[in-house]
Amino acid sequence: RFSFRYGDVNGQTGIIGHELCHVLYFNRHSGIGLLRLALGHLSRRYMDHFEYNTDSVAVERGFGYQLIAWNIFLRKAFGMKNPEQAPDPFMAHSGRERYMSIPSIRRVMAASPAYRQAR
């Protein structure tokens, strides 16, 4: 049975899409590339860049609306009353986004051919 404590199916699909984009990354890199990633986990800057880019790839592959749903679910879980307008609880200490915010996702979607309506 589905449990609402993990969000709706749309949001769950978004996080699964994000994780599948990690799998794409792992499959495309050699042992040295994976070693670099392992060492990169020691750097906040590297991980901010890595996770943000993973979200970007997920959006480009059609998971934009689902990532927005996941982001809204998480903000509601943090008790934010207006999740689309609330400050980003996932902003890194440096001011960089580790995961894409809703406005960032929407910007990538607006620029992506994957979201253009057929005319």
Side-chain angles (χ1 to χ4, degrees):
R1 181 166 185 250
F2 177 75
S3 170
F4 283 102
R5 68 181 201 182
Y6 299 113
D8 67 6
V9 172
N10 207 28
Q12 290 175 4
T13 302
I15 196 64
I16 290 170
H18 170 95
E19 296 305 327
L20 287 173
C21 288
H22 283 310
V23 173
L24 286 174
Y25 177 89
F26 301 146
N27 282 333
R28 291 183 179 162
H29 287 81
S30 65
I32 296 203
L34 295 176
L35 180 60
R36 188 173 135 193
L37 173 62
L39 293 173
H41 275 72
L42 301 174
S43 164
R44 281 186 182 172
R45 177 182 294 267
Y46 183 90
M47 289 310 298
D48 291 347
H49 181 75
F50 180 71
E51 293 294 348
Y52 188 91
N53 283 345
T54 300
D55 274 350
S56 181
V57 170
V59 172
E60 287 290 337
R61 292 190 172 263
F63 289 100
Y65 292 110
Q66 291 79 13
L67 285 176
I68 288 171
W70 179 251
N71 201 309
I72 289 170
F73 166 74
L74 290 177
R75 288 168 185 243
K76 284 181 180 176
F78 279 106
M80 297 177 178
K81 294 187 192 271
N82 188 354
E84 289 208 44
Q85 309 303 320
D88 192 352
F90 313 108
M91 184 69 74
H93 295 290
S94 63
R96 290 182 306 270
E97 293 179 343
R98 175 158 292 189
Y99 300 95
M100 283 187 151
S101 64
I102 293 170
S104 294
I105 294 168
R106 290 192 193 283
R107 273 193 304 277
V108 172
M109 288 171 67
S112 173
Y115 297 92
R116 293 201 182 107
Q117 294 289 333
R119 293 183 183 184

